[in-house]
Amino acid sequence: MNRPSPLPVRGPREALPAISVVVPAYNEQEVLPVFHARMVPVMEAIGLPWELVFVNDGSRDATLDIMLGLQAADPRIAVVNLSRNFGKEIALTAGLDHAAGTEAVVVIDADLQDPPEVIPELVAAWRGGFDVAYAQRRVREGETWMKKATAAGFYAFMQRIGGRVQLPPNTGDFRLMSRRALDALLTLREQHRFMKGLFAWVGFPSVAVLYDRAPRAAGTTKWNYWKLWNLSLEGITSFTVGPLKIATYLGFGTAVFAALFAFQLIVRTLLFGNPVAGYPSLLAVVLFFGGVQLMTLGIIGEYLGRVFNETKGRPLYIVERHLPSGGAYRQASSAPTGVHRLAESGTSGASAA
Ligand code: UDP
Ligand code: MG
């Protein structure tokens, strides 16, 4: 597997952390210091060497400076700075690529909606023999009934059409994965990354750990209904060709209907003559078929667009700089030929082709 090596300046395996905690962050300047302060006692209590991998996903505020400040004070912090905003799913992948943890990795949001205090329970489940311990929300505090209802609808839909890969409901990215589950996940280099689906696809013995999801500690969510809709599209098109089949059956159904309709017209004309009625019904039928055809083309287009994006074979992300935990320092942007520098240090998320 051709994933970036995050460990060029490290010593032997013993010098590596056992657990990496990966934290994607986009404009999280208010919450990062609080987040760090809450993480430290939790991770210390676990009693294994650990690191925090902060990924700055092209934030427009002081997030990077705060990360660098925290790292200067705490050598257990690694910072991966992406060259621009790539979106949470890819930022998360960048963090996982650069996680040095030899035993396990924890994925958690920076905004403290995923309470760090659940991590020991995840670790306990992992020590109990599970490869994946995912945190499952008991209640959704601070979310509108609309959001709850749309989320419920989405999971129900995915459950029906998802086939073999079943998404656990009320589960986000907050989870612990063993090293082997992580390595398996990292072999999936697709551009359209519906992480919940990718996690589920990998499989391995998994267990849910229930927790109460808190409202954001500070800042605002970057999600809105349009983004959620697009995420759902991503989920559906990444994991099932169901809509293409629906389009086929829709076409088949309307064609049968049209044939019956035509047959009925012929019979009526033969029996009762042709009184030249039916201009409105003609228009309705034409518009209906126009709509069905456009919608079907749209569904095909959704898939074709994704095929197009995958065939380009671009790296998933570009790293501006990577500062591993332990204090070592590497800056990709310091080289004049940034691309070559990136290529030789292997920090771009090149596909496993
Ligand atoms: N995030 C990111 N890149 C983005 C958007 C979000 O890295 O483009 C991070 C964000 O900083 C947070 C996590 O992803 O740590 C979840 O984002 P958010 O809280 O906005 O989503 P929600 O909790 O509402 O699902
Ligand atoms: Mg959040």
Side-chain angles (χ1 to χ4, degrees):
M1 176 184 44
N2 178 21
R3 91 186 162 80
S5 155
L7 323 164
V9 286
R10 279 182 188 274
R13 190 181 154 90
E14 294 70 47
L16 296 174
I19 302 187
S20 296
V21 180
V22 172
V23 192
Y26 175 58
N27 295 346
E28 300 284 6
Q29 58 179 9
E30 292 95 353
V31 78
L32 273 186
V34 193
F35 174 83
H36 177 246
R38 246 175 90 181
M39 282 302 291
V40 170
V42 170
M43 294 310 294
E44 284 300 289
I46 291 171
L48 286 171
W50 57 280
E51 66 165 359
L52 260 181
V53 182
F54 282 132
V55 183
N56 176 38
D57 187 18
S59 300
R60 266 173 283 237
D61 62 2
T63 297
L64 178 63
D65 295 334
I66 290 173
M67 286 177 181
L68 295 177
L70 288 171
Q71 200 214 23
D74 184 347
R76 292 166 300 192
I77 293 178
V79 177
V80 179
N81 186 44
L82 300 185
S83 60
R84 63 172 170 85
N85 179 253
F86 283 87
K88 180 186 175 182
E89 322 269 315
I90 288 184
L92 179 56
T93 306
L96 294 174
D97 280 338
H98 291 83
T102 53
E103 305 299 321
V105 56
V106 173
V107 173
I108 188 168
D109 282 359
D111 59 11
L112 290 172
Q113 276 191 289
D114 307 332
E117 291 71 27
V118 177
I119 295 177
E121 290 178 51
L122 300 178
V123 170
W126 164 63
R127 281 180 168 148
F130 288 97
D131 282 89
V132 179
Y134 54 89
Q136 194 167 47
R137 294 188 281 274
R138 202 175 280 128
V139 293
R140 285 171 163 246
E141 268 178 70
E143 286 184 354
T144 60
W145 68 266
M146 256 296 264
K147 178 138 184 213
K148 288 180 210 177
T150 46
F154 171 70
Y155 283 113
F157 184 65
M158 284 300 280
Q159 213 68 265
R160 291 206 76 160
I161 66 169
R164 251 177 291 248
V165 178
Q166 296 290 325
L167 301 184
N170 294 330
T171 302
D173 297 335
F174 184 24
R175 65 188 57 225
L176 178 146
M177 276 173 288
S178 66
R179 183 32 94 173
R180 63 176 188 162
L182 173 65
D183 284 342
L185 178 73
L186 292 181
T187 59
L188 310 181
R189 305 305 298 186
E190 58 221 68
Q191 295 281 334
H192 291 270
R193 303 188 74 72
F194 179 65
M195 293 307 287
K196 290 184 225 313
L198 298 183
F199 288 136
W201 188 91
V202 167
F204 286 109
S206 309
V207 66
V209 171
L210 289 177
Y211 78 109
D212 295 308
R213 187 161 172 88
R216 283 185 77 93
T220 51
T221 177
K222 284 98 203 169
W223 291 105
N224 53 42
Y225 282 109
W226 178 241
K227 283 194 179 173
L228 284 174
W229 163 249
N230 281 317
L231 180 68
S232 311
L233 266 190
E234 206 65 77
I236 292 164
T237 51
S238 303
F239 278 87
T240 167
V241 290
L244 288 174
K245 285 191 188 148
I246 294 174
T248 308
Y249 293 127
L250 201 62
F252 185 71
T254 48
V256 168
F257 173 78
L260 292 176
F261 190 67
F263 181 70
Q264 174 253 26
L265 282 183
I266 292 167
V267 171
R268 264 214 339 219
T269 309
L270 289 178
L271 292 183
F272 309 110
N274 185 4
V276 196
Y279 171 74
S281 63
L282 191 68
L283 193 66
V285 168
V286 167
L287 286 179
F288 176 72
F289 284 115
V292 167
Q293 282 167 2
L294 284 180
M295 199 184 81
T296 312
L297 275 180
I299 293 173
I300 297 171
E302 286 289 336
Y303 284 93
L304 186 62
R306 283 165 173 79
V307 172
F308 172 63
N309 281 335
E310 299 296 345
T311 53
K312 284 187 282 194
R314 291 184 184 168
L316 291 176
Y317 55 84
I318 300 291
V319 173
E320 186 267 336
R321 74 181 97 161
H322 169 216
L323 305 116
S325 59
Y329 189 91
R330 292 196 298 147
Q331 184 159 13
S333 63
S334 62
T337 49
V339 175
H340 290 162
R341 182 75 169 74
L342 281 172
E344 86 204 14
S345 64
T347 47
S348 65
S351 77

